[in-house]
């Protein structure tokens, strides 16, 4: 009898309506909201959705609320791993840094070289990036959207880590992957907050496998995609 009065619960589901972690139909208890279900999912097959025990099914974009479409578009590129299109303006996207436009000469380096120069990034520039990254998070949490932020960050981590697991030496791969995820975190928080898109251009580069490093000794450094070609 008590089971008839259970509140509606939510589960993350794959394209076939199955639990991504088990491959089986979702089971009780689930999560209290669509966003909470996505925040808890341990494996991000794509496309994902959230389904309620009452039969309602919603997209990731809908589950995340304001800014969800921008986040879902980024997640889709991370999941599909498309090659950079010929029309992609890499130099322009790189110069639109999270701290504002930087008009320095661009140099594209190999992933291992990017790791070796990452500690030399201009500290004043990095301080601005840090501030701009933390600002939207505080607003989302205070505005009651902390769960949506957790969900977006979880999916970005799951989908953003996988392409770099075999990227170069193990230590370098961890450094590069962590730096990319750090940028993606800023991008999804900014998108959900609905403000300026400070991290958007760099997140786009990350979604195509690049690692934007930042200004180093009067050069704007970009790590090439894994197994890509460096120039400059």
């Amino acid at each position: 009898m008590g089971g008839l009065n259970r509140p509606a619960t939510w589960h993350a589901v794959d394209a076939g309506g199955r639990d991504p972690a088990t491959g089986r139909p979702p089971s009780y208890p689930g999560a209290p909201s669509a966003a909470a279900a996505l925040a808890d999912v341990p494996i991000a097959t794509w496309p994902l959705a959230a389904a309620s025990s009452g039969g309602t099914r919603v997209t990731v974009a809908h589950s995340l609320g304001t800014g969800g479409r921008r986040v879902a578009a980024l997640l889709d590129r991370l999941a599909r791993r498309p090659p950079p299109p010929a029309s992609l303006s890499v130099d322009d996207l790189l110069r639109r840094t999270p701290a504002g436009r930087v008009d320095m000469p661009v140099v594209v380096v190999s992933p291992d070289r990017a790791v070796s120069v990452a500690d030399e990034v201009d500290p004043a520039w990095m301080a601005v990036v840090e501030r701009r990254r933390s600002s939207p998070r505080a607003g989302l949490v205070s505005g009651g959207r902390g769960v949506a932020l957790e969900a977006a960050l979880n999916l970005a981590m799951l989908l953003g880590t996988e392409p770099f697991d075999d990227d170069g030496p193990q230590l370098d791969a961890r450094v590069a992957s962590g730096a990319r995820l750090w940028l993606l975190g800023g991008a999804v928080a900014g998108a959900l907050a609905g403000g300026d898109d400070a991290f958007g251009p760099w997140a786009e580069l990350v979604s195509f496998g690049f690692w934007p490093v930042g200004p180093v000794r009067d050069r704007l450094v970009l790590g090439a995609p894994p197994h890509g070609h460096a120039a400059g």
Side-chain angles (χ1 to χ4, degrees), residues 16-47:
R18 297 175 294 269
D19 184 321
T22 67
R24 297 190 293 270
S27 58
Y28 193 82
S33 69
L38 296 173
D40 289 339
V41 67
I43 298 174
T45 58
W46 194 259

Side-chain angles (χ1 to χ4, degrees), residues 97-184:
T97 84
R101 188 169 183 88
V102 173
D103 289 316
M104 290 180 176
V106 169
V107 58
V108 184
V109 301
S110 64
D112 59 336
R113 178 60 179 161
V115 171
S116 70
V117 301
D119 288 340
E120 302 176 42
V121 169
D122 177 17
W125 174 88
M126 180 58 75
V128 176
V129 175
E130 291 271 12
R131 288 197 300 272
R132 298 192 75 171
R133 185 176 184 275
S134 62
S135 178
R137 292 169 177 249
L140 288 167
V141 172
S142 65
R145 300 188 63 204
V147 175
L149 175 60
E150 289 179 20
L153 292 173
N154 182 47
L155 297 181
M157 180 189 72
L158 293 172
L159 294 170
T161 301
E162 186 177 1
F164 315 120
D165 285 344
D166 61 354
D167 178 9
Q170 187 175 10
L171 178 59
D172 286 358
R174 286 200 299 268
V175 171
S177 182
R180 292 175 174 116
L181 292 176
W182 189 84
L183 292 170
L184 290 174

Side-chain angles (χ1 to χ4, degrees), residues 75-111:
L75 295 175
D76 183 67
R77 287 199 304 273
L78 290 171
R80 291 186 298 106
R81 308 181 213 173
S87 61
L88 188 72
S89 180
V90 173
D91 282 16
D92 179 62
L93 289 172
L94 184 64
R95 289 192 171 96
R96 292 159 57 193
T97 84
R101 188 169 183 88
V102 173
D103 289 316
M104 290 180 176
V106 169
V107 58
V108 184
V109 301
S110 64

